[in-house]
Amino acid sequence: MAARLDHVVIAVSDRSRSDAFYRDVVGAAVEERDGRAFYRIGEQQLNVHARGVEPAAIARVPVVPGGSDLCFEWRGPISDAIAHLGRAGVVVETGPLPRYGARGRGASVYFRDPDWSLLEFISYDV
């Protein structure tokens, strides 16, 4: 039996700013339960640690705002991802570059979230 990735944790300094970014730029559904935020992206979830959140368990070295490095699959050509980021006012830091992701060969662009975590869109439409 193989395990599957269910969720990862990100830390943010400003919930409302990050909620808008992950909704509008990444395409996440923003959910709130018991005063906590969750960003749903397909079948995966980002658990959001923000000011005032007291998780039941944390890593030995907890993630901090700006301390994440995450890749999201872009469905379509990488040029569409670049155009989408441009319309949202998000600067492409690096790319497009050839990369290998979970599904094989693709093309990626890198950008930052509001806390400066490194984010990546990878397209397998190459």
Tab-separated table of all heavy atoms in Angstrom, residues 80-126:
chain	number	residue	atom	x	y	z
A	80	ASP	N	0.301	30.296	-21.194
A	80	ASP	CA	-0.951	30.746	-20.567
A	80	ASP	C	-0.747	31.051	-19.090
A	80	ASP	O	-1.346	31.985	-18.551
A	80	ASP	CB	-2.042	29.688	-20.726
A	80	ASP	CG	-2.548	29.553	-22.155
A	80	ASP	OD1	-2.116	30.345	-23.034
A	80	ASP	OD2	-3.366	28.645	-22.402
A	81	ALA	N	0.098	30.277	-18.419
A	81	ALA	CA	0.407	30.546	-17.012
A	81	ALA	C	1.116	31.891	-16.870
A	81	ALA	O	0.800	32.684	-15.973
A	81	ALA	CB	1.266	29.428	-16.426
A	82	ILE	N	2.052	32.153	-17.772
A	82	ILE	CA	2.781	33.419	-17.745
A	82	ILE	C	1.822	34.581	-17.968
A	82	ILE	O	1.875	35.599	-17.264
A	82	ILE	CB	3.913	33.413	-18.793
A	82	ILE	CG1	4.965	32.373	-18.408
A	82	ILE	CG2	4.522	34.799	-18.959
A	82	ILE	CD1	5.963	32.058	-19.496
A	83	ALA	N	0.913	34.440	-18.925
A	83	ALA	CA	-0.074	35.493	-19.190
A	83	ALA	C	-0.987	35.694	-17.986
A	83	ALA	O	-1.304	36.835	-17.611
A	83	ALA	CB	-0.893	35.151	-20.439
A	84	HIS	N	-1.421	34.600	-17.351
A	84	HIS	CA	-2.270	34.671	-16.156
A	84	HIS	C	-1.563	35.433	-15.038
A	84	HIS	O	-2.152	36.314	-14.404
A	84	HIS	CB	-2.639	33.256	-15.707
A	84	HIS	CG	-3.265	33.183	-14.361
A	84	HIS	ND1	-4.558	33.594	-14.112
A	84	HIS	CD2	-2.767	32.744	-13.174
A	84	HIS	CE1	-4.829	33.422	-12.828
A	84	HIS	NE2	-3.759	32.902	-12.241
A	85	LEU	N	-0.305	35.104	-14.795
A	85	LEU	CA	0.453	35.795	-13.754
A	85	LEU	C	0.581	37.280	-14.084
A	85	LEU	O	0.423	38.135	-13.196
A	85	LEU	CB	1.833	35.158	-13.583
A	85	LEU	CG	1.833	33.746	-12.993
A	85	LEU	CD1	3.209	33.106	-13.138
A	85	LEU	CD2	1.374	33.758	-11.549
A	86	GLY	N	0.837	37.594	-15.337
A	86	GLY	CA	0.942	38.998	-15.749
A	86	GLY	C	-0.339	39.771	-15.504
A	86	GLY	O	-0.314	40.894	-15.001
A	87	ARG	N	-1.481	39.162	-15.848
A	87	ARG	CA	-2.773	39.825	-15.614
A	87	ARG	C	-3.014	40.066	-14.128
A	87	ARG	O	-3.666	41.029	-13.742
A	87	ARG	CB	-3.915	39.000	-16.204
A	87	ARG	CG	-4.000	39.056	-17.719
A	87	ARG	CD	-5.277	38.408	-18.247
A	87	ARG	NE	-5.408	37.007	-17.886
A	87	ARG	CZ	-4.872	35.977	-18.553
A	87	ARG	NH1	-4.143	36.217	-19.645
A	87	ARG	NH2	-5.056	34.748	-18.161
A	88	ALA	N	-2.474	39.175	-13.287
A	88	ALA	CA	-2.647	39.304	-11.837
A	88	ALA	C	-1.600	40.228	-11.216
A	88	ALA	O	-1.626	40.449	-10.001
A	88	ALA	CB	-2.582	37.922	-11.189
A	89	GLY	N	-0.690	40.745	-12.028
A	89	GLY	CA	0.346	41.629	-11.508
A	89	GLY	C	1.454	40.899	-10.770
A	89	GLY	O	2.175	41.494	-9.969
A	90	VAL	N	1.607	39.605	-11.052
A	90	VAL	CA	2.632	38.789	-10.393
A	90	VAL	C	3.827	38.666	-11.325
A	90	VAL	O	3.686	38.291	-12.493
A	90	VAL	CB	2.077	37.397	-10.036
A	90	VAL	CG1	3.167	36.513	-9.437
A	90	VAL	CG2	0.890	37.523	-9.088
A	91	VAL	N	4.994	38.971	-10.814
A	91	VAL	CA	6.222	38.926	-11.596
A	91	VAL	C	6.738	37.492	-11.686
A	91	VAL	O	6.836	36.799	-10.668
A	91	VAL	CB	7.297	39.830	-10.951
A	91	VAL	CG1	8.630	39.703	-11.673
A	91	VAL	CG2	6.825	41.275	-10.931
A	92	VAL	N	7.066	37.065	-12.896
A	92	VAL	CA	7.735	35.774	-13.081
A	92	VAL	C	9.203	35.992	-12.738
A	92	VAL	O	9.881	36.811	-13.354
A	92	VAL	CB	7.583	35.256	-14.530
A	92	VAL	CG1	8.450	34.026	-14.759
A	92	VAL	CG2	6.124	34.949	-14.828
A	93	GLU	N	9.669	35.269	-11.741
A	93	GLU	CA	11.048	35.433	-11.274
A	93	GLU	C	12.033	34.669	-12.147
A	93	GLU	O	13.120	35.152	-12.430
A	93	GLU	CB	11.133	34.950	-9.835
A	93	GLU	CG	12.444	35.247	-9.162
A	93	GLU	CD	12.385	34.967	-7.689
A	93	GLU	OE1	11.643	35.657	-6.970
A	93	GLU	OE2	13.093	34.031	-7.267
A	94	THR	N	11.651	33.470	-12.555
A	94	THR	CA	12.516	32.625	-13.366
A	94	THR	C	11.650	31.775	-14.288
A	94	THR	O	10.600	31.302	-13.877
A	94	THR	CB	13.357	31.678	-12.477
A	94	THR	OG1	14.068	32.446	-11.526
A	94	THR	CG2	14.342	30.869	-13.296
A	95	GLY	N	12.125	31.581	-15.496
A	95	GLY	CA	11.441	30.679	-16.399
A	95	GLY	C	10.869	31.399	-17.601
A	95	GLY	O	10.934	32.615	-17.703
A	96	PRO	N	10.341	30.589	-18.501
A	96	PRO	CA	10.119	29.154	-18.370
A	96	PRO	C	11.416	28.346	-18.505
A	96	PRO	O	12.304	28.701	-19.259
A	96	PRO	CB	9.137	28.825	-19.491
A	96	PRO	CG	9.312	29.910	-20.500
A	96	PRO	CD	9.776	31.121	-19.746
A	97	LEU	N	11.462	27.261	-17.720
A	97	LEU	CA	12.600	26.355	-17.705
A	97	LEU	C	12.114	24.921	-17.848
A	97	LEU	O	11.046	24.582	-17.326
A	97	LEU	CB	13.345	26.453	-16.360
A	97	LEU	CG	13.936	27.795	-15.986
A	97	LEU	CD1	14.440	27.740	-14.545
A	97	LEU	CD2	15.061	28.156	-16.926
A	98	PRO	N	12.892	24.059	-18.503
A	98	PRO	CA	12.517	22.642	-18.538
A	98	PRO	C	12.700	22.038	-17.148
A	98	PRO	O	13.693	22.322	-16.466
A	98	PRO	CB	13.495	22.034	-19.544
A	98	PRO	CG	14.640	22.990	-19.630
A	98	PRO	CD	14.107	24.337	-19.264
A	99	ARG	N	11.725	21.253	-16.704
A	99	ARG	CA	11.766	20.637	-15.378
A	99	ARG	C	11.152	19.247	-15.436
A	99	ARG	O	10.404	18.920	-16.357
A	99	ARG	CB	10.988	21.470	-14.355
A	99	ARG	CG	11.670	22.747	-13.961
A	99	ARG	CD	12.889	22.418	-13.088
A	99	ARG	NE	13.591	23.582	-12.655
A	99	ARG	CZ	14.747	23.993	-13.169
A	99	ARG	NH1	15.304	23.361	-14.163
A	99	ARG	NH2	15.357	25.041	-12.681
A	100	TYR	N	11.437	18.452	-14.438
A	100	TYR	CA	10.805	17.151	-14.274
A	100	TYR	C	9.998	17.189	-12.991
A	100	TYR	O	10.533	17.447	-11.918
A	100	TYR	CB	11.846	16.018	-14.235
A	100	TYR	CG	12.407	15.749	-15.595
A	100	TYR	CD1	13.510	16.443	-16.056
A	100	TYR	CD2	11.799	14.831	-16.442
A	100	TYR	CE1	14.014	16.223	-17.327
A	100	TYR	CE2	12.288	14.606	-17.711
A	100	TYR	CZ	13.400	15.302	-18.146
A	100	TYR	OH	13.887	15.086	-19.418
A	101	GLY	N	8.706	16.951	-13.108
A	101	GLY	CA	7.811	16.946	-11.958
A	101	GLY	C	7.270	15.551	-11.713
A	101	GLY	O	7.767	14.562	-12.266
A	102	ALA	N	6.226	15.484	-10.926
A	102	ALA	CA	5.631	14.199	-10.546
A	102	ALA	C	5.110	13.416	-11.754
A	102	ALA	O	5.048	12.192	-11.718
A	102	ALA	CB	4.500	14.421	-9.545
A	103	ARG	N	4.748	14.118	-12.822
A	103	ARG	CA	4.209	13.451	-14.015
A	103	ARG	C	5.199	13.410	-15.164
A	103	ARG	O	4.835	13.102	-16.290
A	103	ARG	CB	2.929	14.161	-14.451
A	103	ARG	CG	1.807	13.986	-13.429
A	103	ARG	CD	0.456	14.507	-13.895
A	103	ARG	NE	0.192	14.185	-15.276
A	103	ARG	CZ	-0.297	15.057	-16.176
A	103	ARG	NH1	-0.589	16.289	-15.815
A	103	ARG	NH2	-0.512	14.691	-17.412
A	104	GLY	N	6.462	13.738	-14.900
A	104	GLY	CA	7.465	13.668	-15.954
A	104	GLY	C	7.953	15.028	-16.405
A	104	GLY	O	7.970	15.996	-15.642
A	105	ARG	N	8.315	15.093	-17.685
A	105	ARG	CA	8.902	16.295	-18.273
A	105	ARG	C	7.869	17.400	-18.423
A	105	ARG	O	6.747	17.161	-18.851
A	105	ARG	CB	9.481	15.933	-19.641
A	105	ARG	CG	10.222	17.036	-20.318
A	105	ARG	CD	10.894	16.505	-21.603
A	105	ARG	NE	11.381	17.605	-22.389
A	105	ARG	CZ	10.656	18.234	-23.329
A	105	ARG	NH1	9.446	17.829	-23.608
A	105	ARG	NH2	11.170	19.238	-23.989
A	106	GLY	N	8.280	18.630	-18.047
A	106	GLY	CA	7.390	19.773	-18.183
A	106	GLY	C	8.180	21.056	-18.321
A	106	GLY	O	9.405	21.048	-18.453
A	107	ALA	N	7.457	22.154	-18.299
A	107	ALA	CA	8.063	23.490	-18.322
A	107	ALA	C	7.517	24.255	-17.129
A	107	ALA	O	6.319	24.182	-16.840
A	107	ALA	CB	7.727	24.206	-19.628
A	108	SER	N	8.399	24.983	-16.441
A	108	SER	CA	8.006	25.657	-15.208
A	108	SER	C	8.346	27.141	-15.229
A	108	SER	O	9.321	27.560	-15.861
A	108	SER	CB	8.727	25.038	-14.004
A	108	SER	OG	8.278	23.734	-13.767
A	109	VAL	N	7.546	27.902	-14.478
A	109	VAL	CA	7.849	29.295	-14.152
A	109	VAL	C	7.764	29.432	-12.634
A	109	VAL	O	6.974	28.752	-11.976
A	109	VAL	CB	6.903	30.305	-14.839
A	109	VAL	CG1	7.117	30.302	-16.337
A	109	VAL	CG2	5.450	30.043	-14.500
A	110	TYR	N	8.610	30.316	-12.116
A	110	TYR	CA	8.694	30.534	-10.674
A	110	TYR	C	8.279	31.963	-10.338
A	110	TYR	O	8.616	32.905	-11.059
A	110	TYR	CB	10.123	30.293	-10.190
A	110	TYR	CG	10.556	28.855	-10.347
A	110	TYR	CD1	11.074	28.397	-11.554
A	110	TYR	CD2	10.439	27.959	-9.299
A	110	TYR	CE1	11.470	27.074	-11.707
A	110	TYR	CE2	10.829	26.633	-9.441
A	110	TYR	CZ	11.344	26.203	-10.640
A	110	TYR	OH	11.722	24.901	-10.793
A	111	PHE	N	7.583	32.087	-9.209
A	111	PHE	CA	7.098	33.389	-8.746
A	111	PHE	C	6.965	33.336	-7.237
A	111	PHE	O	7.230	32.302	-6.620
A	111	PHE	CB	5.775	33.753	-9.431
A	111	PHE	CG	4.677	32.736	-9.264
A	111	PHE	CD1	3.651	32.932	-8.341
A	111	PHE	CD2	4.642	31.567	-10.036
A	111	PHE	CE1	2.626	31.999	-8.184
A	111	PHE	CE2	3.630	30.634	-9.887
A	111	PHE	CZ	2.622	30.849	-8.960
A	112	ARG	N	6.593	34.438	-6.606
A	112	ARG	CA	6.530	34.525	-5.149
A	112	ARG	C	5.115	34.839	-4.679
A	112	ARG	O	4.382	35.562	-5.339
A	112	ARG	CB	7.458	35.629	-4.637
A	112	ARG	CG	8.915	35.460	-5.027
A	112	ARG	CD	9.607	34.473	-4.170
A	112	ARG	NE	10.975	34.234	-4.623
A	112	ARG	CZ	11.854	33.551	-3.946
A	112	ARG	NH1	11.535	33.010	-2.781
A	112	ARG	NH2	13.060	33.359	-4.420
A	113	ASP	N	4.780	34.299	-3.504
A	113	ASP	CA	3.514	34.681	-2.884
A	113	ASP	C	3.749	35.957	-2.074
A	113	ASP	O	4.877	36.473	-2.030
A	113	ASP	CB	2.920	33.513	-2.066
A	113	ASP	CG	3.514	33.316	-0.690
A	113	ASP	OD1	4.482	34.025	-0.309
A	113	ASP	OD2	3.022	32.429	0.031
A	114	PRO	N	2.715	36.522	-1.443
A	114	PRO	CA	2.895	37.799	-0.735
A	114	PRO	C	3.931	37.764	0.389
A	114	PRO	O	4.473	38.808	0.760
A	114	PRO	CB	1.498	38.095	-0.178
A	114	PRO	CG	0.575	37.404	-1.112
A	114	PRO	CD	1.300	36.146	-1.509
A	115	ASP	N	4.223	36.586	0.949
A	115	ASP	CA	5.245	36.471	1.992
A	115	ASP	C	6.607	36.060	1.429
A	115	ASP	O	7.535	35.812	2.177
A	115	ASP	CB	4.799	35.458	3.053
A	115	ASP	CG	3.709	36.016	3.943
A	115	ASP	OD1	3.914	37.095	4.528
A	115	ASP	OD2	2.642	35.379	4.036
A	116	TRP	N	6.709	35.941	0.135
A	116	TRP	CA	7.928	35.600	-0.583
A	116	TRP	C	8.241	34.106	-0.576
A	116	TRP	O	9.373	33.707	-0.849
A	116	TRP	CB	9.125	36.439	-0.125
A	116	TRP	CG	9.003	37.826	-0.648
A	116	TRP	CD1	8.307	38.852	-0.059
A	116	TRP	CD2	9.489	38.331	-1.885
A	116	TRP	NE1	8.357	39.972	-0.867
A	116	TRP	CE2	9.089	39.678	-1.985
A	116	TRP	CE3	10.239	37.776	-2.910
A	116	TRP	CZ2	9.404	40.469	-3.073
A	116	TRP	CZ3	10.563	38.574	-3.995
A	116	TRP	CH2	10.138	39.906	-4.061
A	117	SER	N	7.263	33.249	-0.268
A	117	SER	CA	7.470	31.824	-0.505
A	117	SER	C	7.646	31.619	-1.999
A	117	SER	O	7.040	32.342	-2.811
A	117	SER	CB	6.278	30.999	-0.013
A	117	SER	OG	6.320	30.850	1.385
A	118	LEU	N	8.459	30.656	-2.366
A	118	LEU	CA	8.710	30.360	-3.778
A	118	LEU	C	7.613	29.435	-4.283
A	118	LEU	O	7.380	28.363	-3.716
A	118	LEU	CB	10.075	29.696	-3.954
A	118	LEU	CG	10.456	29.362	-5.394
A	118	LEU	CD1	10.608	30.650	-6.214
A	118	LEU	CD2	11.738	28.538	-5.416
A	119	LEU	N	6.941	29.865	-5.344
A	119	LEU	CA	5.882	29.064	-5.966
A	119	LEU	C	6.277	28.770	-7.410
A	119	LEU	O	7.010	29.544	-8.045
A	119	LEU	CB	4.546	29.785	-5.913
A	119	LEU	CG	4.050	30.196	-4.529
A	119	LEU	CD1	2.672	30.826	-4.640
A	119	LEU	CD2	4.020	29.020	-3.572
A	120	GLU	N	5.751	27.687	-7.916
A	120	GLU	CA	6.059	27.245	-9.277
A	120	GLU	C	4.788	26.741	-9.944
A	120	GLU	O	4.002	26.053	-9.304
A	120	GLU	CB	7.090	26.116	-9.190
A	120	GLU	CG	7.408	25.407	-10.479
A	120	GLU	CD	8.348	24.212	-10.256
A	120	GLU	OE1	8.835	24.017	-9.121
A	120	GLU	OE2	8.591	23.493	-11.244
A	121	PHE	N	4.591	27.123	-11.182
A	121	PHE	CA	3.608	26.484	-12.038
A	121	PHE	C	4.378	25.592	-12.992
A	121	PHE	O	5.309	26.054	-13.651
A	121	PHE	CB	2.796	27.492	-12.856
A	121	PHE	CG	1.690	28.199	-12.135
A	121	PHE	CD1	1.321	29.482	-12.497
A	121	PHE	CD2	0.971	27.582	-11.117
A	121	PHE	CE1	0.287	30.144	-11.865
A	121	PHE	CE2	-0.062	28.234	-10.465
A	121	PHE	CZ	-0.408	29.524	-10.852
A	122	ILE	N	3.994	24.310	-13.089
A	122	ILE	CA	4.591	23.414	-14.074
A	122	ILE	C	3.496	22.986	-15.042
A	122	ILE	O	2.368	22.686	-14.629
A	122	ILE	CB	5.257	22.181	-13.425
A	122	ILE	CG1	6.013	21.366	-14.492
A	122	ILE	CG2	4.272	21.326	-12.663
A	122	ILE	CD1	6.937	20.307	-13.928
A	123	SER	N	3.817	23.022	-16.324
A	123	SER	CA	2.903	22.562	-17.361
A	123	SER	C	3.511	21.335	-18.029
A	123	SER	O	4.685	21.345	-18.401
A	123	SER	CB	2.688	23.650	-18.410
A	123	SER	OG	2.000	23.127	-19.534
A	124	TYR	N	2.695	20.308	-18.160
A	124	TYR	CA	3.130	19.098	-18.869
A	124	TYR	C	2.695	19.152	-20.330
A	124	TYR	O	2.884	18.191	-21.063
A	124	TYR	CB	2.591	17.843	-18.170
A	124	TYR	CG	3.177	17.694	-16.774
A	124	TYR	CD1	2.419	17.978	-15.650
A	124	TYR	CD2	4.495	17.285	-16.618
A	124	TYR	CE1	2.972	17.851	-14.400
A	124	TYR	CE2	5.047	17.160	-15.355
A	124	TYR	CZ	4.279	17.439	-14.246
A	124	TYR	OH	4.832	17.315	-12.990
A	125	ASP	N	2.135	20.266	-20.745
A	125	ASP	CA	1.681	20.473	-22.115
A	125	ASP	C	2.874	20.988	-22.934
A	125	ASP	O	2.902	22.145	-23.342
A	125	ASP	CB	0.534	21.478	-22.112
A	125	ASP	CG	-0.136	21.621	-23.460
A	125	ASP	OD1	0.148	20.809	-24.358
A	125	ASP	OD2	-0.933	22.570	-23.616
A	126	VAL	N	3.869	20.105	-23.114
A	126	VAL	CA	5.086	20.522	-23.833
A	126	VAL	C	5.322	19.641	-25.046
A	126	VAL	O	4.849	18.552	-25.141
A	126	VAL	CB	6.343	20.473	-22.924
A	126	VAL	CG1	6.248	21.559	-21.879
A	126	VAL	CG2	6.540	19.129	-22.284
